[in-house]
Amino acid sequence: MTENPGVLKWSARLTSVALLAGCVVSNDPPPAEPSAAGGIARNVILFIGDGMGVSTVTAARIFDGQSLGMTGEEHELIFETFPHVALVKTYNTNQQVPDSAGTATAMMTGRKTRAGVINIGPEVRRQDCQESLDQELTPLGVIAKERGKSVGVVTTTRLTHATPASVFAHSPERDWESDQYLPESDRAQGCLDIAYQLTRFDVGGGLDVVLGGGRAEFYGGEFDGNRVGGQDDLIREWLDAGSNRTYITTRDELARLRAAQQPGIRPAQQPEELPEPRSAQPSRQQVLGTFSRSHMTYVAERPPDTTEPTLAEMTSAAIDLLADDEDGYFLMVEGGRIDHGHHDGKPGYALLETQAFARAVEAALEQVDLEETLVLVTADHSHVFTIAGYPVRGNPILGLVVENDVTGEPSPEAAVDATGTPYTTLGYANGPGAVADQPRPAPETGTGAVYQSHIPVVSHRIDGSLDYSETHGGEDVALYGIGVGSDQVGGVIEQNLIFDIMIQAFGWDDGD
Ligand SMILES: [Zn+2]
């Protein structure tokens, strides 16, 4: 990729944001807007922070700022400097507080639908295979391939999880990730599991870059996988279907692939193992990477010698590969485990995931030309996550509330509630941190702690086990936009309009 004015402009903005580190208040002008903000985009990148509600963005901003030695409140995550922002109504057609399958369908197809279904119309009952077969909605991943674009999917969850699946699959049940939970009767009717759909996706020659977790959904038991129906090695079948296909499983392999893509960059180790240059390939390279058996490891739990790439590394590699297509690309990048950290009642986990998500956005902005690319950042839904009490300025965001005294100076000790017990700034309306039938103890704090909540909710997973997870929240989420077509981002909008914004940016709203 060549240097261009859009990239340079954004780099200058990045520097000014970095310089804010010592300032209390930003007096910076808004970021320079590319002149082509209303034109046609060659590329669209949609970043979805799964469960990244507004309170999560605020807490992550403080968390990130404090990790840089600041008080934190004045800090900005990179996407908070985008020139266009909207609020997004996330409800599903049958649910006030949504799930990720219904919300991802809204963004990928332009139609809201029921919770739990992927790219299936709202009339279809969840898990009804027969009804679903003639009510399939066409996702942007298919539309983009049909129109000659390359398509990429990057996530920290299993590649078959609801949000990534919405780019390429159809299913009346989000949990049909492999054939493990897909009933034989539904399979006989023609419903296919999501891993199978991913590897057999053949529109425009197949998906171009697919990076994430969830290896077990592609293999049968003899290969330590979850599949039960006799298709024991979908990865081998995917490789055999094209000589231009590469399968990788480690961070080093991803780095080597990227180095081969960019002649000027070489990995630190094992340069002798570089693959042949891409020009030797008969057609554009397609890459499938599964870096973990299930979801990728939480940032909070990764060992220093992890073999899993970061979300930023996967995003950068995907853009390098996709940018090879002169016709442009559509890329969906999900920070998928923000949601899981919250479900576990662990804000420290969720905030580390949000920080990694912001780094991925930053990496993308360093690579793309905003004169020809639309970059959107949003969440699919919120969580019941609050920032509460009256903590002093700069109070550690994961800590106990310390209030000011009557003079406005910090008190020497943590504040206590009506029972004399200290409390944390961060907390949840429900989830595993709820205390039932006993006095509330002094709370634990820190990255790995389960934070306190009110209601001990419980539900059933598809395997029948009990799930005490904290729940999603129903308030609006934010949408941030920069680049070509981002001037359409504004106001309070229905979530399915995000699809319209992307289609319009590509210049495909002409009815053909
Ligand atoms: Zn969730």
Side-chain angles (χ1 to χ4, degrees):
M1 204 168 85
T2 53
E3 290 281 342
N4 62 71
V7 171
L8 291 176
K9 254 187 253 174
W10 190 258
S11 300
R13 173 63 187 168
L14 287 174
T15 307
S16 76
V17 170
L19 288 174
L20 274 174
C23 305
V24 175
V25 176
S26 164
N27 290 317
D28 267 23
E33 178 130 36
S35 58
I40 301 294
R42 193 157 71 115
N43 317 308
V44 172
I45 306 178
L46 175 63
F47 283 92
I48 301 175
D50 197 313
M52 190 184 69
V54 170
S55 58
T56 300
V57 174
T58 305
R61 170 201 305 155
I62 297 170
F63 179 80
D64 192 44
Q66 293 184 344
S67 74
L68 296 169
M70 306 158 67
T71 44
E73 297 85 359
E74 70 285 4
H75 185 50
E76 293 170 306
L77 299 174
I78 192 72
F79 51 85
E80 295 186 279
T81 67
F82 286 9
H84 301 286
V85 181
L87 286 176
V88 179
K89 296 155 76 172
T90 62
Y91 65 93
N92 299 139
T93 57
N94 66 339
Q95 227 165 269
Q96 200 165 55
V97 177
D99 96 314
S100 295
T103 55
T105 298
M107 290 187 270
M108 287 301 150
T109 71
R111 289 280 307 278
K112 287 206 180 207
T113 191
R114 296 186 188 209
V117 308
I118 293 165
N119 298 337
I120 300 295
E123 300 81 9
V124 177
R125 288 171 293 181
R126 182 171 175 172
Q127 295 193 345
D128 193 317
C129 172
Q130 190 67 49
E131 286 184 13
S132 75
L133 290 173
D134 60 355
Q135 297 287 334
E136 294 185 345
L137 304 173
T138 307
L140 187 52
V142 169
I143 297 168
K145 288 300 297 187
E146 285 174 344
R147 296 200 176 222
K149 302 281 184 189
S150 286
V151 170
V153 181
V154 171
T155 182
T156 49
T157 67
R158 296 188 293 267
L159 287 163
T160 49
H161 211 236
T163 308
S166 72
V167 177
F168 56 85
H170 299 91
S171 182
E173 172 51 61
R174 60 177 288 171
D175 287 333
W176 293 350
E177 294 186 50
S178 74
D179 58 1
Q180 184 179 14
Y181 297 115
L182 173 55
E184 183 55 46
S185 56
D186 293 310
R187 209 176 319 165
Q189 285 180 342
C191 277
L192 304 169
D193 68 82
I194 294 165
Y196 184 89
Q197 291 185 56
L198 189 160
T199 51
R200 295 297 179 100
F201 185 99
D202 63 356
V203 183
L207 297 165
D208 299 279
V209 185
V210 184
L211 305 173
R215 189 180 308 136
E217 309 304 312
F218 299 90
Y219 291 110
E222 63 180 298
F223 301 112
D224 188 33
N226 292 336
R227 304 192 64 82
V228 295
Q231 291 152 332
D232 280 348
D233 191 346
L234 293 182
I235 301 292
R236 172 48 52 196
E237 291 179 23
W238 179 82
L239 280 168
D240 288 347
S243 60
N244 58 334
R245 294 181 164 179
T246 304
Y247 175 63
I248 58 175
T249 58
T250 68
R251 183 185 209 174
D252 284 347
E253 286 176 314
L254 186 71
R256 285 201 290 276
L257 200 67
R258 204 176 165 211
Q261 187 73 14
Q262 294 184 321
I265 299 178
R266 289 286 178 266
Q269 299 175 339
Q270 301 165 304
E272 72 280 5
E273 292 182 28
L274 286 174
E276 286 298 302
R278 303 246 344 270
S279 57
Q281 300 284 352
S283 60
R284 262 194 303 279
Q285 185 171 215
Q286 294 181 338
V287 178
L288 172 57
T290 64
F291 303 103
S292 54
R293 187 177 184 279
S294 180
H295 300 307
M296 290 177 70
T297 306
Y298 279 120
V299 171
E301 296 179 355
R302 288 192 183 193
D305 61 345
T306 180
T307 60
E308 299 179 35
T310 66
L311 185 59
E313 288 167 351
M314 292 193 289
T315 302
S316 290
I319 292 172
D320 278 348
L321 289 158
L322 294 168
D324 218 29
D325 188 342
E326 295 175 355
D327 298 316
Y329 59 83
F330 168 63
L331 171 63
M332 193 289 295
V333 179
E334 185 198 24
R337 306 216 69 193
I338 301 167
D339 182 64
H340 298 163
H342 281 322
H343 281 309
D344 291 349
K346 294 178 176 176
Y349 276 42
L351 298 183
L352 281 167
E353 296 296 322
T354 309
Q355 195 176 36
F357 177 73
R359 297 287 180 273
V361 176
E362 197 169 326
L365 289 170
E366 286 167 2
Q367 285 172 272
V368 302
D369 178 358
L370 293 172
E371 300 278 353
E372 60 173 25
T373 305
L374 170 64
V375 178
L376 298 177
V377 177
T378 191
D380 47 0
H381 57 74
S382 188
H383 273 269
V384 293
F385 175 58
T386 58
I387 307 169
Y390 298 101
V392 298
R393 180 73 190 275
N395 198 49
I397 190 64
L398 291 174
L400 298 172
V401 170
V402 174
E403 293 180 342
N404 285 314
D405 63 20
V406 290
T407 71
E409 293 296 317
S411 300
E413 292 182 1
V416 293
D417 68 9
T419 69
T421 312
Y423 50 94
T424 52
T425 306
L426 302 179
Y428 295 97
N430 60 43
V435 178
D437 304 325
Q438 56 178 307
R440 190 175 68 83
E444 290 182 20
T445 60
T447 305
V450 174
Y451 276 51
Q452 294 188 337
S453 67
H454 290 290
I455 303 167
V457 289
V458 65
S459 60
H460 288 269
R461 297 190 185 90
I462 197 163
D463 64 2
S465 62
L466 290 176
D467 182 1
Y468 295 93
S469 288
E470 177 264 7
T471 73
H472 297 173
E475 75 275 11
D476 297 350
V477 297
L479 169 67
Y480 311 84
I482 191 167
V484 189
S486 63
D487 56 347
Q488 296 302 305
V489 174
V492 180
I493 63 172
E494 295 286 358
Q495 191 163 42
N496 48 306
L497 286 184
I498 293 173
F499 172 84
D500 294 31
I501 291 169
M502 295 190 288
I503 289 286
Q504 195 171 333
F506 274 136
W508 296 340
D509 59 344
D510 50 8
D512 64 21

